[in-house]
Amino acid sequence: MRGMADLDTLKSELLDEVNRAKSLDVLEDVRVKALGKKGRMTGLMKELSSLAPEERKQRGQELNQIKQEVVIKLEERQRELNRKALDDKLVNETLDVSLSIRPESQGTIHPISQVTEEIIAIFARMGFAVAEGPQVEDDYHNFTALNIPEEHPARQMHDTFYMPDRKDGTKMVLRTQTSNVQIRTMKAQKPPIKIIAPGRVYRSDSDQTHTPMFHQVEGLVIDEATHFGHLRGCIYDFCREFFNAPNLKMRFRPSYFPFTEPSAEVDIGCRRNKGELVIGEGDDWMEILGCGMVNPRVLENCGLDPEKYQGFAFGMGIDRLAMLKYGIPDLRTFFDSDLRWLKHYGFLPIDMPGGLTR
Ligand code: DAH
């Protein structure tokens, strides 16, 4: 039989064990060893029955007192450990969404991809859909249907890559312009039509400003009411936004394309500052695209009634726009796959397509 001193020791041992329990599992162990069926406290309670009534009462009260304190301490510790478990979980499962990617370990977006996305984003806001057409094209869609008949001098201007004829005699070329998508779109869908068609085109030409493969974006709007004023506004809005120049200087110069009538070329104002090109201001002009009202003969070729339908088309070189916007001097470097060049002129995946809203 233990005296008061023993019980004091027991109490401080039990409370100490509770305090030292580092996890809920250990705490449960401590509880079972103290208050479980075979626990130390339980054992002492059982011994009470062998005591004389007076002693039993006194001893019983002491034991109950200890038991209560241990229970309270257990509950307290349990709450503490629960809170800690939750805190740990919150810390471990945190996802820091503000953490930025490490640019040095990433590749870059090629300026042509970036500029293509920028162009698409601007025209998409104006309600244009994106259309596509084949790069290996038949002579009809690349030339004839666009009012460029055989022996037309415009064919020679294009330095075409000719492909072997098809078995049925169809003449094939690598498309020299994205204008083929105009024909394919007008044949495939009814007006109103409002598309742009970015893509690769090919011409047998190579120097500082020409590569055998380059990129164009074509535009086509056909409905019953579109006129030259719409064309002008559309091109003006696009250029201002693309070059991030709200007061962009721009002029339409009469020109000739077989598939548009009237036709124009568009220049934007620029000036040279110690060899560097400044876009949008100054007294020099830089040609950036061709456009015009769709020639009635082209509409006819696509089965559209020129008395009813009309619209405009435009075409521009993506590579050239990229050179102008981002100050890239030599077109050929676009396709050298030089990693230092790509690092310098490339874009991070998180760069938004540019424009006034950038
Ligand atoms: N296809 C022309 C070229 O490659 C560019 C062009 C000019 C496209 C005028 C058009 C246009 O749609 O209307 O030089």
Side-chain angles (χ1 to χ4, degrees):
M1 194 66 210
R2 299 171 208 220
M4 267 301 267
D6 286 340
L7 286 185
D8 276 350
T9 318
L10 173 70
K11 183 172 110 179
S12 60
E13 274 174 21
L14 290 179
L15 293 180
D16 197 41
E17 277 176 35
V18 172
N19 271 336
R20 273 185 295 136
K22 286 264 180 318
S23 71
L24 289 164
D25 287 348
V26 174
L27 188 68
E28 176 61 9
D29 262 13
V30 171
R31 190 191 65 80
V32 171
K33 279 186 187 140
L35 306 173
K37 271 195 200 136
K38 294 179 183 159
R40 290 166 78 184
M41 289 297 295
T42 321
L44 291 176
M45 296 287 201
K46 279 183 191 156
E47 285 172 13
L48 286 177
S49 55
S50 61
L51 297 180
E54 243 340 270
E55 214 181 342
R56 190 190 303 158
K57 191 177 167 203
Q58 154 99 32
R59 178 92 175 163
Q61 276 176 356
E62 287 166 6
L63 284 175
N64 265 332
Q65 175 77 27
I66 297 176
K67 188 178 165 185
Q68 258 177 31
E69 278 182 53
V70 172
V71 168
I72 288 172
K73 196 80 202 161
L74 273 168
E75 284 171 0
E76 219 177 86
R77 185 69 185 146
Q78 191 180 18
R79 277 198 296 276
E80 254 171 53
L81 289 173
N82 270 330
R83 210 177 310 126
K84 189 169 166 299
L86 182 62
D87 284 349
D88 286 353
K89 204 168 165 193
L90 286 174
V91 168
N92 289 330
E93 292 180 4
T94 306
L95 179 65
D96 184 354
V97 290
S98 68
L99 210 67
S100 51
I101 53 159
R102 297 192 190 98
E104 68 277 14
S105 64
Q106 299 287 321
T108 57
I109 306 280
H110 195 284
I112 291 179
S113 305
Q114 172 78 14
V115 166
T116 305
E117 285 303 317
E118 292 177 9
I119 294 171
I120 291 175
I122 296 170
F123 280 110
R125 283 202 288 276
M126 294 192 223
F128 283 76
V130 174
E132 284 182 324
Q135 294 176 37
V136 178
E137 182 60 286
D138 56 52
D139 182 277
Y140 174 78
H141 288 92
N142 193 80
F143 291 124
T144 315
L146 284 158
N147 198 31
I148 315 176
E150 240 163 282
E151 311 309 327
H152 193 288
R155 291 212 180 191
Q156 270 75 61
M157 274 161 49
H158 278 202
D159 301 308
T160 311
F161 284 114
Y162 291 94
M163 305 291 285
D165 291 355
R166 283 234 184 101
K167 283 207 185 70
D168 63 6
T170 312
K171 294 205 172 321
M172 302 299 288
V173 299
L174 290 182
R175 70 173 174 192
T176 58
Q177 48 187 353
T178 43
S179 307
N180 67 327
V181 185
Q182 285 191 34
I183 304 301
R184 292 191 171 271
T185 306
M186 283 188 275
K187 288 196 170 210
Q189 65 192 69
K190 288 224 145 5
I193 290 170
K194 204 171 174 187
I195 56 115
I196 53 164
R200 293 184 169 172
V201 297
Y202 304 82
R203 289 183 202 179
S204 178
D205 204 352
S206 185
D207 58 36
Q208 192 177 348
T209 52
H210 296 90
T211 49
M213 185 279 294
F214 57 105
H215 301 78
Q216 287 187 338
V217 60
E218 193 81 9
L220 177 69
V221 174
I222 303 285
D223 58 24
E224 295 178 31
T226 291
H227 55 68
F228 204 97
H230 295 126
L231 166 59
R232 191 182 177 283
C234 174
I235 297 300
Y236 190 44
D237 281 352
F238 165 75
C239 291
R240 270 193 314 188
E241 188 143 19
F242 179 78
F243 288 108
N244 219 337
N247 300 317
L248 186 71
K249 265 175 75 179
M250 199 180 79
R251 73 175 179 193
F252 279 69
R253 211 166 11 83
S255 183
Y256 172 77
F257 298 102
F259 31 88
T260 42
E261 183 57 40
S263 303
E265 278 174 309
V266 175
D267 301 334
I268 54 172
C270 65
R271 76 184 153 83
R272 274 163 234 281
N273 184 15
K274 298 191 197 95
E276 209 182 299
L277 192 65
V278 182
I279 298 287
E281 51 186 81
D283 295 328
D284 282 346
W285 293 101
M286 172 78 67
E287 182 212 318
I288 57 155
L289 62 87
C291 60
M293 300 308 291
V294 176
N295 192 312
R297 299 182 70 161
V298 174
L299 294 171
E300 264 168 17
N301 290 342
C302 298
L304 295 177
D305 178 2
E307 295 295 320
K308 184 171 181 200
Y309 296 114
Q310 59 190 43
F312 63 78
F314 57 85
M316 51 193 149
I318 296 179
D319 320 62
R320 193 174 157 74
L321 288 178
M323 289 169 81
L324 291 176
K325 182 165 178 178
Y326 294 112
I328 303 170
D330 188 333
L331 179 65
R332 290 167 299 193
T333 56
F334 276 107
F335 311 111
D336 282 346
S337 304
D338 180 336
L339 284 177
R340 290 163 308 175
W341 187 93
L342 289 168
K343 222 168 203 101
H344 182 75
Y345 287 111
F347 293 81
L348 293 181
I350 50 169
D351 282 342
M352 297 297 284
L356 288 181
T357 49
R358 189 169 199 141

